[in-house]
Amino acid sequence: MTSLLQCPRQIVLPEWIDYNGHLNMAYYHVLFDKALDHVFDQIGIGEEYVRTSQGSCFVLQVHVHYLQELSEGDPVDVHFQLLDHDSKRLHFIEQMFQGEQGYLAATSEQLALHVSMQTRRASPFPQEVQDRLAAMLRRHANLPRPEQVGHSMGIRRLPTNSA
């Protein structure tokens, strides 16, 4: 993990194509979410963890940049980069690439919260998970931050001259 964590390749399915002839925006989230399942398994907080530990992660915020179109049958590679964490939260970005042509199709910056499934309230990650996260963050600390990290959203207006 000295570089971005690469998730298993996925394929754009025919039923995910919208009337514009490209991947519908909702399915970018599906692809990112399936990739995140892989990452959470690697960290030790995936499906097995949820079944056996009474804890899980809930996403608090997502900011997606749709940069280039994907089409039916396109291979998709998603790379994960941990940006920050504390005892209860993860801040990360996923980058989605068209698998054959290699272009960046989309990014998904997310903030997730660890919760107790019994109380449905925030709770700290187990210490061994915090240790794995700290090691991953050290490995990702010197990676370049994608330009999409931390963007705000709004319509930019040119200043008007009041003359």
Side-chain angles (χ1 to χ4, degrees):
M1 281 194 243
T2 56
S3 62
L4 300 175
L5 179 58
Q6 185 167 345
C7 303
R9 179 167 276 185
Q10 302 176 70
I11 302 295
V12 175
L13 300 177
E15 58 268 27
W16 296 351
I17 302 302
D18 64 19
Y19 54 78
N20 292 312
H22 59 206
L23 182 63
N24 178 278
M25 65 173 281
Y27 293 101
Y28 283 85
H29 292 271
V30 170
L31 290 163
F32 281 127
D33 193 51
K34 288 179 178 292
L36 189 57
D37 286 344
H38 171 76
V39 171
F40 281 2
D41 285 342
Q42 300 301 305
I43 297 171
I45 56 174
E47 185 177 355
E48 178 68 20
Y49 171 79
V50 174
R51 276 200 308 269
T52 61
S53 75
Q54 306 286 324
S56 188
C57 281
F58 291 178
V59 173
L60 299 174
Q61 187 174 1
V62 177
H63 193 161
V64 176
H65 286 254
Y66 304 96
L67 303 170
Q68 289 197 48
E69 295 176 299
L70 291 169
S71 301
E72 179 181 336
D74 278 352
V76 175
D77 296 324
V78 176
H79 300 179
F80 174 92
Q81 182 176 353
L82 184 63
L83 299 170
D84 200 3
H85 75 91
D86 63 17
S87 66
K88 299 177 187 178
R89 295 172 295 187
L90 300 174
H91 178 208
F92 57 90
I93 190 164
E94 293 175 287
Q95 296 176 294
M96 181 182 296
F97 296 90
Q98 201 280 358
E100 291 171 344
Q101 298 174 30
Y103 63 79
L104 182 62
T107 63
S108 179
E109 181 181 5
Q110 299 185 32
L111 185 63
L113 177 69
H114 185 263
V115 298
S116 162
M117 294 302 285
Q118 291 177 324
T119 65
R120 309 298 266 204
R121 301 263 186 239
S123 66
F125 290 105
Q127 188 59 53
E128 64 272 11
V129 172
Q130 290 186 50
D131 293 344
R132 281 192 290 275
L133 289 168
M136 180 185 281
L137 187 60
R138 283 191 299 274
R139 289 188 296 271
H140 288 188
N142 293 323
L143 295 172
R145 287 172 81 90
E147 67 178 73
Q148 293 81 18
V149 171
H151 278 202
S152 62
M153 196 177 333
I155 298 172
R156 292 187 201 158
R157 305 272 185 202
L158 294 175
T160 57
N161 293 335
S162 52

